[in-house]
Amino acid sequence: MKKINDYLNPPKILVLGFAIIILIGTFLLTLPIATENGKGLSFLDALFTATSATCVTGLVVVDTADTFSTFGELVVLTLIQVGGLGFMTFGTFLFILLGKKISLKERLVLKEAYNNISISGIVKLVKRILLFTIIIETIGATILSIRFSFDMPIGTAIYYGFFHAISNFNNAGFDLMGEFRSLTDYVDDPFVVLTICSLITLGGLGFIVFNELYEYRMTRRLSVNTKIVLITTFILTAGASILIFLFEYNNPNTLGTLDSSGKGYGALFHAVTPRTAGANTLPIADLTHASLFLTIILMYIGAGSGSTAGGIKITTFAVLMATFWSQLKGKEDIVLFKRRIEMQTILKAITVALSGLMIILLVTILLSITDKGHHFIMYLFEATSAFGTVGLSMGLTPELSSFGRVIIIFTMFVGRFGPLTLGFAITRRRTKEAFHHPKGKIMIG
């Protein structure tokens, strides 16, 4: 009889580990000490919040600041940090402190968690990830604390600074501003906007990219993966900023009443946050349809692989665009930065993109059935936000029925790992075909 350990491949360990963390967080949030009213959250609301925090999404059915006590807020913050970096990172760090050896199985799980190519140097990578995280979050928290100190007592400002720095570096989007208003009070504040945008972007690049940038001073080389992430991130951010600036320029409910610099900060923030943070400085429901649709596209794409972000990932999007362009030009090979992309990578990108699209469409249909009476774009927006672990909402989430909340919980969970990881966790190991069928010709287009 096989041992249980034989059935637990790396994807299964990741999925089960996150599920256990979510359940622990759910239990803690149901405790009376977790809420301001001393009653605790209902099980479903606690499960929704714990899933949203652990999957670093940011969708909420209750306002974080108005509902939770300090204990409850710290539970949410801990879930965000553990969910963003991964429970295996903390487990490995604990093993290192205790002087224990990291086994091959644990190295394989870490490889899966960070979507790394090999297990070589994976423990050293974990150490650097923790160091990067501490440095970046501390710098962000310090800047935000100084800025918030002008609006609130210094103790509260420091607490707010660290909460929002951790939340946004991990691309979670939870906030303590109250009344579901997120960071709308700071729409034209350069200190808050630029700091939060930097935290979101750095958290969304991916830890493998971080590591390569750190080693660049010695190697003077960057992989194709890192080049794709950096350049595509810049193009998407710059392009989306310009488009949102134009789409919302005369909208009196968003950028219309701001001066030129305020419009620029507002457009930049909303270009960055859909990939995939969830904080907002503009009221989402008041955006033009063009901006809403652009936001949906950005949420679907997401950020870098092996990062705290969700979506189909920038690299997937870049491979699909390169494939599209090569087919238009009649080229046989798909080439990026003078490197030919393997067919296996292309097929995986297509699978990830189509899987994500099918999940979003299915969730949109289900929400339109379970929660009738809203505009279609609200269902599509909420479904994409949950799958991309973004956290932006047009206001539908707090009004969801019990069935609707369960659907979004499942979608956030799937979105955190990606459909492929969950698929590998559920199905058996893939085997090679014993024989190949004859080729069949199909007319396309």
Side-chain angles (χ1 to χ4, degrees):
M1 186 175 180
K2 290 186 177 181
K3 295 180 180 179
I4 294 177
N5 191 49
D6 295 334
Y7 292 96
L8 294 179
N9 56 23
K12 287 180 180 178
I13 293 173
L14 283 177
V15 172
L16 288 175
F18 270 86
I20 291 171
I21 291 169
I22 288 171
L23 290 177
I24 293 173
T26 300
F27 168 74
L28 293 175
L29 293 177
T30 59
L31 297 177
I33 193 177
T35 56
E36 291 282 4
N37 60 14
K39 297 179 180 180
L41 283 184
S42 65
F43 175 79
L44 185 57
D45 286 352
L47 178 62
F48 191 103
T49 305
T51 304
S52 182
T54 307
C55 296
V56 289
T57 304
L59 288 174
V60 291
V61 288
V62 294
D63 185 81
T64 307
D66 297 338
T67 303
F68 294 112
S69 63
T70 302
F71 173 81
E73 292 170 358
L74 291 176
V75 169
V76 171
L77 191 62
T78 302
L79 292 174
I80 290 170
Q81 188 73 87
V82 174
L85 296 185
F87 71 95
M88 281 301 299
T89 302
F90 290 94
T92 302
F93 180 63
L94 181 61
F95 274 29
I96 293 172
L97 289 179
L98 296 175
K100 292 187 176 182
K101 188 177 180 180
I102 309 301
S103 68
L104 177 61
K105 183 96 174 181
E106 288 155 352
R107 291 170 190 264
L108 288 171
V109 177
L110 286 168
K111 171 182 172 292
E112 182 73 25
Y114 294 116
N115 203 14
N116 204 9
I117 296 173
S118 70
I119 62 172
S120 176
I122 196 71
V123 176
K124 182 172 70 173
L125 175 63
V126 170
K127 293 179 182 178
R128 286 182 179 175
I129 287 171
L130 289 168
L131 181 62
F132 293 152
T133 301
I134 292 171
I135 292 173
I136 293 170
E137 289 181 350
T138 300
I139 293 173
T142 302
I143 297 173
L144 291 175
S145 297
I146 293 172
R147 174 59 189 88
F148 290 150
S149 66
F150 290 93
D151 301 331
M152 58 191 74
I154 185 64
T156 305
I158 293 173
Y159 176 56
Y160 273 44
F162 273 91
F163 188 100
H164 291 92
I166 293 171
S167 176
N168 286 285
F169 175 72
N170 287 285
N171 280 213
F174 281 82
D175 70 90
L176 297 178
M177 298 305 170
E179 299 177 356
F180 295 104
R181 69 180 186 269
S182 191
L183 299 173
T184 51
D185 292 343
Y186 298 93
V187 60
D188 56 352
D189 189 304
F191 291 99
V192 174
V193 169
L194 295 180
T195 301
I196 296 293
C197 283
S198 298
L199 288 167
I200 293 169
T201 302
L202 291 172
L205 287 178
F207 297 115
I208 306 302
V209 173
F210 262 125
N211 195 48
E212 279 199 33
L213 292 174
Y214 177 79
E215 294 181 343
Y216 179 75
R217 57 193 175 88
M218 296 177 288
T219 62
R220 292 296 172 184
R221 288 181 314 196
L222 292 176
S223 67
V224 175
N225 180 81
T226 295
K227 290 177 181 178
I228 290 173
V229 171
L230 293 176
I231 292 177
T232 309
T233 296
F234 174 78
I235 292 173
L236 288 175
T237 302
S241 297
I242 294 170
L243 289 175
I244 292 169
F245 184 87
L246 296 174
F247 293 157
E248 301 297 324
Y249 190 87
N250 292 318
N251 186 346
N253 297 319
T254 55
L255 299 182
T257 58
L258 302 174
D259 57 22
S260 297
S261 62
K263 285 180 169 64
Y265 290 130
L268 172 65
F269 195 96
H270 196 76
V272 171
T273 193
R275 307 177 28 253
T276 56
N280 62 283
T281 57
L282 300 177
I284 303 300
D286 292 333
L287 294 172
T288 62
H289 284 173
S291 293
L292 287 172
F293 191 66
L294 176 61
T295 303
I296 289 172
I297 294 172
L298 293 173
M299 292 193 296
Y300 174 67
I301 295 172
S305 296
S307 70
T308 58
I312 63 171
K313 302 297 189 296
I314 282 176
T315 44
T316 302
F317 174 72
V319 168
L320 292 175
M321 290 298 100
T323 303
F324 169 73
W325 183 247
S326 295
Q327 288 296 303
L328 284 182
K329 297 183 72 175
K331 292 186 176 181
E332 183 177 347
D333 290 336
I334 313 301
V335 179
L336 283 168
F337 298 102
K338 298 181 180 180
R339 293 292 187 273
R340 181 171 56 85
I341 309 301
E342 296 180 347
M343 182 55 65
Q344 183 180 358
T345 302
I346 297 170
L347 292 176
K348 186 176 181 180
I350 294 172
T351 304
V352 169
L354 286 178
S355 299
L357 184 60
M358 287 190 290
I359 289 171
I360 290 171
L361 293 178
L362 176 61
V363 173
T364 302
I365 293 171
L366 291 176
L367 289 178
S368 67
I369 295 172
T370 61
D371 295 80
K372 298 178 180 179
H374 301 280
H375 292 293
F376 168 76
I377 196 168
M378 294 183 73
Y379 302 123
L380 178 60
F381 194 97
E382 220 76 8
T384 311
S385 181
F387 171 77
T389 67
V390 181
L392 294 176
S393 174
M394 292 182 66
L396 178 62
T397 300
E399 300 179 8
L400 287 174
S401 64
S402 296
F403 287 113
R405 296 183 184 195
V406 171
I407 292 169
I408 293 297
I409 287 171
F410 178 76
T411 309
M412 290 189 291
F413 193 75
V414 172
R416 180 64 181 95
F417 299 100
L420 280 187
T421 300
L422 275 179
F424 292 156
I426 295 171
T427 60
R428 295 181 178 180
R429 187 176 299 176
R430 291 182 295 177
T431 57
K432 290 186 177 181
E433 297 288 346
F435 63 92
H436 293 285
H437 293 280
K439 291 182 178 179
K441 293 186 177 180
I442 301 175
M443 292 185 291
I444 301 294

